[in-house]
Amino acid sequence: MTREGTRIGPYEMQRMLGSGATAEVWLARHTSLDTPRALKIVTRDTPGVRERAFCEAQTLAAVGHPGVVAVHDLLEHDGQPVIVQEYVDGPDLDAWAIGRPHRDAVERVMCDVLEALGGLHDAGVIHRDLKPSNILISRSGEVRLADFGLARQGASRGHTLAGALMGTPAYMAPEQAEDAVSATPRSDLFSVGVIAAYLLTGESPFQREGVRETLIAVADCESNILDFLDRHGLDRSDRIVRLLLALVRFDPEDRPATWAEARAMLECPEVSLAATTDLWATGVPAPRSLMEYEPIPTLSVLGGVVAALGGAAVAAVVLLVTVFAVDALMFDTQAVATGTPAIQVVSGHGTIEPVRHEVPGRAGLFGFLRAKRAR
């Protein structure tokens, strides 16, 4: 077990920065060079987790973009991988948004996020888990993308099986929610649009009570985002709102083709983000909490599906019952920055990382809703 004062190679652990289902992140100091580093230490020895950690380190090393957290080394501790990363001395966007930053600051952040995403995509990397808690702002105002545990490099499927559900439901694009293998750079752009909506309002437009309810909201993203904007009184002619409307589209082909095309929709004002991190201070609650295994209910959403789709959907719903009945799995998940460990996985807030095996069944749901949209 890692504690304050534990030594891993030349690094001495100082304090835990956060923990998730498969890893802990510690602030550590190089004892000879007196430099701070963030050490991501794998804590769960399950199939695929070790391999994903090595892939994450290799992905970060391959990108080498200033908007992406840098990786400095790959060590082992108690037989588990340890990724030595750049330490970013500031909040994630969840904590940053609590201060209700000015609209210009939000636009500046979105520009920097898109620039960093360009570094990823130009290197052939798809993040697949962009959300506020995976984007950091240093005290000097520099934006960094972090947490590449689900990233995929090039056309390789890596450790992703067909039909896998991987990512954070409230922020993932419909095609990724249907099958993680289908994620493309435009899937990351969808997530950026949802993040923009969150920063403007403090609320995720697709977050619902449960995972399945959240996925259904994502499947009907275009109607839901318009309702969301109206409910919050956001002006559709505003630059950031126009951007998120262009990004939050069901069909990937309807979104901007590249990060550069999306960034061109913004003016990117010269705003110092350093001043916007003043509300954040060392010692705030960790942005993540360790979530336990929790079963996902199989049938709670079916009544809502029947009501939404009408009697003609009965045969399809019967099929969905059969498919989802084998979908009552236990998920390994992480919470977003709430500091409240009482949140359960069924809230749909966290990153879904399949541990036992991948999850079948969403193709039927998304295919049915896609056909309904086309009628």
Side-chain angles (χ1 to χ4, degrees):
M1 178 181 292
T2 305
R3 299 183 177 88
E4 292 183 12
T6 296
R7 293 284 295 270
I8 298 178
Y11 299 97
E12 182 177 298
M13 303 304 106
Q14 295 189 319
R15 62 183 174 88
M16 186 186 293
L17 299 174
S19 63
T22 60
E24 296 175 348
V25 180
W26 283 78
L27 171 62
R29 184 163 294 276
H30 194 291
T31 54
S32 299
L33 301 178
D34 195 31
T35 53
R37 292 287 183 260
L39 268 62
K40 183 173 183 178
I41 306 169
V42 172
T43 56
R44 190 182 296 278
D45 188 12
T46 53
V49 172
R50 179 183 177 88
E51 290 77 8
R52 284 205 301 271
F54 282 112
C55 287
E56 178 178 1
Q58 292 167 352
T59 298
L60 284 170
V63 173
H65 188 277
V68 176
V69 291
V71 61
H72 297 284
D73 204 351
L74 182 60
L75 307 174
E76 283 202 12
H77 178 64
D78 291 339
Q80 295 296 339
V82 177
I83 304 174
V84 181
Q85 302 176 104
E86 168 190 13
Y87 170 59
V88 180
D89 61 343
D92 62 25
L93 288 190
D94 263 322
W96 184 77
I98 292 173
R100 298 307 298 268
H102 187 273
R103 183 69 59 92
D104 285 349
V106 172
E107 184 170 351
R108 179 72 256 173
V109 165
M110 298 315 301
C111 289
D112 292 350
V113 167
L114 286 167
E115 286 273 7
L117 193 59
L120 281 189
H121 292 173
D122 290 348
V125 176
I126 305 168
H127 192 286
R128 297 199 297 183
D129 197 23
L130 285 175
K131 58 183 176 181
S133 59
N134 285 344
I135 301 173
L136 312 175
I137 303 180
S138 71
R139 299 298 293 274
S140 59
E142 298 169 326
V143 171
R144 297 283 191 277
L145 303 187
D147 200 340
F148 288 75
L150 301 185
R152 190 182 77 205
Q153 190 164 17
S156 170
R157 288 168 49 169
H159 300 281
T160 308
L161 300 179
L165 174 60
M166 300 175 71
T168 300
Y171 289 91
M172 66 172 66
E175 66 275 8
Q176 180 178 340
E178 184 174 357
D179 186 348
V181 172
S182 301
T184 70
R186 294 190 190 195
S187 306
D188 283 345
L189 289 175
F190 181 98
S191 301
V192 170
V194 183
I195 291 168
Y198 174 82
L199 294 182
L200 291 174
T201 65
E203 180 182 339
S204 171
F206 307 124
Q207 186 65 64
R208 300 294 185 268
E209 182 179 355
V211 173
R212 285 194 175 78
E213 292 86 348
T214 298
L215 292 177
I216 289 175
V218 168
D220 196 19
C221 58
E222 294 183 16
S223 295
N224 285 326
I225 194 64
L226 293 176
D227 292 344
F228 178 85
L229 296 177
D230 292 342
R231 178 158 51 87
H232 285 276
L234 295 177
D235 183 359
R236 297 186 191 181
S237 66
D238 182 274
R239 286 191 304 272
I240 308 177
V241 176
R242 290 202 308 268
L243 172 71
L244 74 86
L245 283 173
L247 297 178
V248 180
R249 302 295 299 272
F250 183 89
D251 189 338
E253 295 299 318
D254 292 337
R255 302 170 205 153
T258 66
W259 67 272
E261 185 178 326
R263 189 182 185 279
M265 298 181 66
L266 301 174
E267 290 187 0
C268 301
E270 293 297 328
V271 176
S272 172
L273 295 178
T276 68
T277 64
D278 290 345
L279 291 178
W280 178 89
T282 302
V284 297
R288 299 180 186 177
S289 58
L290 180 63
M291 305 299 289
E292 302 296 336
Y293 283 128
E294 200 61 42
I296 292 183
T298 58
L299 302 179
S300 61
V301 77
L302 292 175
V305 173
V306 173
L309 301 181
V314 172
V317 171
V318 170
L319 173 62
L320 289 177
V321 170
T322 304
V323 173
F324 283 128
V326 299
D327 195 13
L329 303 177
M330 308 284 269
F331 285 98
D332 222 356
T333 183
Q334 293 175 331
V336 296
T338 61
T340 308
I343 290 180
Q344 302 297 316
V345 65
V346 292
S347 69
H349 285 257
T351 299
I352 292 178
E353 301 181 62
V355 172
R356 296 186 181 180
H357 50 80
E358 307 295 355
V359 183
R362 287 169 314 287
L365 173 62
F366 277 82
F368 187 85
L369 295 178
R370 187 184 296 107
K372 182 175 180 292
R373 288 179 76 254
R375 288 201 296 266

